[in-house]
């Protein structure tokens, strides 16, 4: 197993300040507007979504391969919801939408593996207090 790291620098107040997030080869800005409005830059929720989508796709590939159906392609998008809960900004949900090309598998078996993976990937397990949902579809 491995330890990974990412860093962030924030300068100034919440609304007027600005920050920079760095991990791997990514280095990009984030601001109040990019998080709570529609401003340019990234935000922690997008990064969490990227981590969840990537983790789920890898775990689904492993589960399908283990079940005897190696996938050709898996494309997953995570929709992460930031809502006001008791007056505090809170990540409340991660909704995964996954499309997979998996030769020879039945829809039932695919759904069985996909749903089991929803709760089994490491990022899903880390998001224990967050509602997790999934739409999984086989594509040609």
């Amino acid at each position: 197993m491995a330890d990974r790291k990412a860093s962030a620098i924030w300068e100034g107040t919440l609304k007027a300040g600005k920050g920079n997030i760095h991990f791997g080869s990514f280095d990009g800005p984030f601001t109040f507007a990019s998080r709570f409005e529609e401003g340019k830059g990234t935000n922690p929720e997008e990064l969490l979504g990227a981590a969840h989508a990537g983790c789920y796709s890898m775990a689904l590939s492993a589960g399908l391969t283990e079940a005897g159906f190696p996938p050709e392609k898996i494309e997953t998008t995570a929709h992460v919801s930031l809502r006001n809960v008791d007056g505090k900004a809170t990540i409340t949900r991660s909704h995964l939408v996954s499309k997979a090309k998996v030769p020879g598998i039945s829809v039932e078996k695919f759904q069985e593996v996909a749903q089991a993976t929803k709760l089994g990937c490491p990022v899903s397990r880390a998001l224990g207090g967050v509602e997790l949902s999934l739409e999984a579809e086989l594509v040609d």
Side-chain angles (χ1 to χ4, degrees):
M1 298 291 146
D3 292 331
R4 301 289 185 225
K5 67 178 183 174
S7 62
I9 297 172
W10 186 263
E11 297 173 327
T13 65
L14 175 62
K15 287 192 176 181
K18 65 182 180 190
N20 200 69
I21 293 175
H22 177 80
F23 59 93
S25 63
F26 177 85
D27 190 58
F30 69 112
T31 64
F32 181 88
S34 70
R35 187 169 196 192
F36 298 105
E37 299 167 356
E38 295 299 322
K40 284 187 171 187
T42 191
N43 57 65
E45 291 72 35
E46 286 177 341
L47 301 174
L48 182 62
H52 200 194
C55 182
Y56 178 81
S57 292
M58 292 176 76
L60 181 56
S61 176
L64 289 166
T65 301
E66 186 176 297
F69 302 97
E72 289 182 10
K73 181 179 180 181
I74 299 169
E75 182 178 336
T76 305
T77 302
H79 301 265
V80 176
S81 299
L82 181 67
R83 300 288 185 262
N84 189 331
V85 176
D86 298 327
K88 297 180 190 244
T90 304
I91 295 171
T92 59
R93 182 177 193 219
S94 183
H95 177 68
L96 298 169
V97 178
S98 190
K99 296 181 180 188
K101 185 173 183 179
V102 188
I105 196 168
S106 70
V107 171
E108 295 78 19
K109 183 64 176 177
F110 172 72
Q111 288 297 329
E112 175 188 320
V113 175
Q115 291 297 328
T117 303
K118 176 182 79 173
L119 298 177
C121 88
V123 172
S124 289
R125 290 195 313 270
L127 295 174
V130 173
E131 177 190 344
L132 302 176
S133 58
L134 170 67
E135 289 176 50
E137 176 186 350
L138 278 173
V139 295
D140 294 328

